Amino acid sequence: MSSERVPVELSKGVNGLEKIILRETRGSSAEVYLYGGHVTSWKNEHGEELLFVSSKALFKPPKAIRGGIPICFPQFSNHGPLEPHGFARNKLWSIDTDPSAFPTNSSSKAYIDLILKPSEEDMKIWPHSYEFRLRVALGPGGDLMLTSRIRNTNTDGKPFTFTFAYHTYFSVSDISEVRVEGLETLDYLDNLLNKQRFTEQGDAITFEAEVDKIYLSTPTKIAILDHEKKRTLVLRKDGLPDAVVWNPWDKKAKAMADFGDDEYKHMLCVEAAAIEKPITLKPGEEWRGRQELSAVPSSYCSGQLDPRRVLQGS
């Protein structure tokens, strides 16, 4: 019975790691591991998985979980002196039992507040005091919302600067049948060409080789059209001007120990991010970055996908 669905449940996941299961009354669900504050599952009301997690993912700290939604903080990739993608995805987060006031426009009870604060060991790597609060929520329609709030709690008067990304791995039926809408004509940095700047040509982004690009000054809405599944995944974002598009393709896939050789065909990363212009917070200041994911049936127009209707709709 739907009335018996518990909206928030603490459970044991792979290798005994603690996870939180969120359930919405209509049947959608999400799973979040305390390790990494890491969303590893997002299912629609039919129980279909919308995120990709590698079959070879290691759920063993300190290795990050391969797939789902890793959080890149305080550094995206190798854009700085820290280990690639920073350390938030390798830390054990806590449930925030006393979250500060949180404006919410949803009546959903399916949400969890997590918090990450630096340990003494962390301070040696990145000598700044901060509070990173993450809310993961399932909306009534099955939308998945992640809101990050990062506050500078330094007592020495020092500001700090960071880059950030929700490194979302979407599940797709066949990468060669997928297109991404909303990034046409934009400038991007190509990570495969030493971060050289180019301008995107053409209507939609399609995939026939390795891609690793940081699109700049992107719109608040990006759509991933999955032709085979007749499904469009829509990413809406706020406070995150950049968007990373990544697929490792065959050679890189084979080189990753925690990634299946052919799994690149069934995943695509589209990542809401703040990279080109790093964020600086003075003590007491707070930054907020939010992404909302939704899945809608694709509109068809004489057998073709009609992405304009998706992007121009609410």
Side-chain angles (χ1 to χ4, degrees):
M1 295 255 303
S2 61
S3 60
E4 292 174 2
R5 290 176 68 83
V6 182
V8 184
E9 180 190 350
L10 192 61
S11 177
K12 286 273 193 273
V14 183
N15 293 332
L17 295 174
E18 282 195 303
K19 68 177 180 182
I20 295 109
I21 304 169
L22 304 176
R23 295 186 186 90
E24 217 289 309
T25 48
R26 291 181 207 168
S28 57
S29 67
E31 296 188 3
V32 194
Y33 275 74
L34 289 181
Y35 177 61
H38 198 133
V39 176
T40 56
S41 175
W42 170 45
K43 293 179 180 174
N44 63 16
E45 67 271 24
H46 307 298
E48 296 167 318
E49 183 58 68
L50 303 170
L51 298 178
F52 166 87
V53 173
S54 173
S55 62
K56 294 189 169 184
L58 298 171
F59 287 75
K60 284 184 183 167
K63 178 79 178 163
I65 299 165
R66 174 69 68 188
I69 311 180
I71 288 174
C72 305
F73 170 85
Q75 176 185 301
F76 175 78
S77 185
N78 56 358
H79 291 244
L82 301 175
E83 61 183 292
H85 289 332
F87 48 71
R89 64 189 189 141
N90 310 92
K91 299 293 175 193
L92 194 60
W93 293 53
S94 306
I95 293 173
D96 190 357
T97 51
D98 187 23
S100 54
F102 198 102
T104 176
N105 55 2
S106 167
S107 57
S108 174
K109 295 183 176 66
Y111 67 87
I112 190 74
D113 289 293
L114 303 181
I115 189 166
L116 180 68
K117 295 179 185 179
S119 66
E120 283 182 27
E121 286 300 306
D122 297 340
M123 297 284 273
K124 292 174 188 169
I125 301 165
W126 199 61
H128 299 292
S129 179
Y130 64 87
E131 288 179 354
F132 186 148
R133 288 184 157 84
L134 171 69
R135 173 171 285 199
V136 181
L138 264 183
D143 294 2
L144 180 66
M145 289 158 282
L146 281 78
T147 307
S148 290
R149 294 181 296 165
I150 297 166
R151 179 179 291 274
N152 182 338
T153 55
N154 279 338
T155 53
D156 57 7
K158 287 183 181 167
F160 63 67
T161 298
F162 64 92
T163 49
F164 179 95
Y166 293 114
H167 197 312
T168 309
Y169 288 72
F170 292 98
S171 172
V172 298
S173 51
D174 178 354
I175 189 64
S176 60
E177 296 281 330
V178 166
R179 28 193 287 203
V180 175
E181 298 276 347
L183 302 175
E184 310 78 55
T185 73
L186 297 181
D187 283 6
Y188 64 85
L189 307 178
D190 195 329
N191 288 324
L192 303 179
L193 294 169
N194 294 319
K195 305 187 180 81
Q196 283 186 67
R197 191 173 184 130
F198 298 94
T199 302
E200 185 61 55
Q201 308 296 324
D203 290 340
I205 299 164
T206 55
F207 302 90
E208 51 200 27
E210 182 185 355
V211 176
D212 190 355
K213 296 175 179 177
I214 302 169
Y215 289 85
L216 310 172
S217 303
T218 58
T220 56
K221 194 189 306 189
I222 300 165
I224 302 158
L225 295 95
D226 191 331
H227 196 73
E228 207 169 292
K229 286 198 168 122
K230 298 188 175 68
R231 175 192 296 148
T232 297
L233 296 161
V234 181
L235 185 160
R236 292 176 180 83
K237 58 192 180 59
D238 186 41
L240 298 160
D242 304 322
V244 182
V245 177
W246 180 65
N247 183 292
W249 222 250
D250 53 347
K251 283 201 179 84
K252 283 252 172 82
K254 286 186 173 72
M256 291 188 283
D258 61 347
F259 192 95
D261 289 357
D262 289 323
E263 288 185 328
Y264 73 91
K265 295 173 183 173
H266 306 297
M267 56 71 66
L268 176 64
C269 287
V270 179
E271 313 167 29
I275 301 165
E276 188 199 18
K277 295 175 181 143
I279 291 135
T280 298
L281 294 178
K282 297 189 188 101
E285 287 185 337
E286 184 177 88
W287 170 85
R288 179 180 294 210
R290 182 175 177 276
Q291 82 167 9
E292 181 176 347
L293 308 178
S294 52
V296 294
S298 292
S299 309
Y300 270 75
C301 183
S302 65
Q304 295 299 308
L305 289 167
D306 183 9
R308 296 277 173 268
R309 283 172 58 185
V310 171
L311 284 171
Q312 287 163 6
S314 60

